[in-house]
């Protein structure tokens, strides 16, 4: 079974969902393949001002019962919603062999807890380098490469092909062809229940196959 997590580095709801993602990986371990992919937000989906961003953070922080408020200092009106750089850097780090969560978590923390303006490619690369041990120049080169940018564009297109628009999004797929799509949920309870159900169904199919073999062809 596989769970794919679609995220945007500067999505506050993805930030709030990270504990749930870690919890699911801890709970199911090797029974489930976990992977994450970038799903870029469109420029017009970003806040239009610092005050608007802070309002969104007040809402999400209240919903999540957070003891702290996220920092909107990363917002820059001059970027006009173009914050692709940290996403490209996260993907570049994965291409360079760092496939876990630490780079994107470091970028999220830098932006939404420390207010750092990670829309700047060089700053994002420096943060990623500190978190991963990778060289800054290699991260910048990777983030600018056609291969990385096309991969991010492709994963974003797959995300939208599911006819969803809210991040975080989780696509659950098993070997018997079942699929569950969760869009916008930041807590683990519903996801965990769905994974358990799909694992149970897959195990039942395996048991049946052992006892009765493949289906008749005629």
């Amino acid at each position: 079974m596989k769970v794919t997590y679609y995220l945007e580095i500067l999505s506050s709801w993805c930030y709030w969902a990270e504990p749930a993602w870690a919890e699911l990986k801890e709970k199911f371990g090797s029974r489930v393949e976990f992977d994450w992919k970038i799903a870029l937000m469109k420029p017009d989906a970003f806040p239009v001002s610092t005050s608007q961003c802070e309002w969104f953070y007040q809402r999400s922080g209240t919903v999540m019962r957070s003891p702290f408020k996220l920092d909107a200092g990363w917002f820059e009106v001059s970027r006009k919603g173009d914050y692709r750089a940290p996403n490209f850097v996260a993907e570049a780090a994965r291409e360079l062999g760092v496939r876990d969560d630490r780079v994107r978590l470091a970028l999220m923390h830098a932006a939404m807890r420390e207010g750092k303006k990670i829309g700047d490619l060089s700053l994002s690369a420096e943060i990623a380098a500190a978190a991963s041990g990778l060289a800054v120049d290699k991260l910048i080169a990777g983030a600018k490469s056609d291969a990385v940018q096309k991969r991010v564009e492709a994963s974003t297109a797959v995300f939208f092909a599911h006819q969803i628009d809210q991040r975080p999004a989780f696509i659950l797929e098993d070997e018997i062809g079942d699929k569950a799509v969760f869009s916008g949920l930041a807590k683990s309870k519903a996801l965990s229940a769905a994974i358990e159900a799909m694992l149970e169904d897959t195990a039942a199919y395996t048991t049946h196959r052992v006892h009765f073999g493949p289906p008749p062809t005629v």
Side-chain angles (χ1 to χ4, degrees):
M1 181 174 175
K2 182 174 183 178
V3 178
T4 305
Y5 166 28
Y6 285 90
L7 63 105
E8 150 74 53
I9 296 296
L10 278 167
S11 163
S12 62
W13 283 111
C14 290
Y15 177 89
W16 296 124
E18 290 299 338
W21 179 243
E23 180 184 332
L24 292 171
K25 292 196 295 180
E26 176 68 23
K27 179 177 181 178
F28 294 101
S30 60
R31 299 165 63 196
V32 175
E33 178 187 350
F34 290 94
D35 191 20
W36 59 269
K37 294 183 178 181
I38 298 294
L40 292 172
M41 288 168 53
K42 296 176 181 178
D44 61 6
F46 282 91
V48 298
S49 66
T50 300
S51 60
Q52 188 185 71
C53 186
E54 289 174 340
W55 186 92
F56 288 139
Y57 285 173
Q58 290 166 352
R59 181 178 64 179
S60 66
T62 300
V63 170
M64 295 303 292
R65 306 293 193 269
S66 173
F68 58 85
K69 188 174 79 171
L70 298 182
D71 192 324
W74 58 267
F75 175 80
E76 298 176 85
V77 66
S78 61
R79 290 199 178 277
K80 299 180 180 180
D82 184 0
Y83 293 96
R84 294 172 295 174
N87 295 283
F88 290 153
V89 167
E91 189 66 35
R94 178 156 57 174
E95 185 175 67
L96 291 167
V98 180
R99 303 187 62 82
D100 57 24
D101 301 328
R102 65 190 130 143
V103 167
R104 58 182 183 75
L105 288 177
L107 289 165
M108 287 178 168
H109 182 88
M112 288 178 274
R113 292 304 306 277
E114 299 177 348
K116 293 184 178 179
K117 300 185 187 303
I118 66 168
D120 179 76
L121 176 60
S122 296
L123 179 56
S124 282
E126 290 172 7
I127 293 166
S132 65
L134 298 170
V136 172
D137 59 343
K138 289 186 177 180
L139 285 163
I140 291 175
K144 290 180 176 180
S145 71
D146 287 343
V148 163
Q149 295 189 8
K150 287 180 179 179
R151 190 154 58 247
V152 169
E153 291 169 1
S155 61
T156 300
V158 172
F159 166 79
F160 283 116
H162 284 288
Q163 298 185 352
I164 54 179
D165 191 33
Q166 297 299 316
R167 304 158 191 78
F170 302 90
I171 311 299
L172 284 53
E173 300 169 286
D174 62 27
E175 64 183 44
I176 62 176
D178 295 335
K179 177 188 288 187
V181 178
F182 292 85
S183 178
L185 294 186
K187 298 179 182 179
S188 65
K189 187 175 181 179
L191 293 163
S192 181
I195 293 171
E196 290 278 16
M198 293 172 76
L199 287 171
E200 289 177 5
D201 286 351
T202 300
Y205 268 56
T206 300
T207 300
H208 182 276
R209 186 167 58 248
V210 168
H211 283 274
F212 300 101
T217 57
V218 293

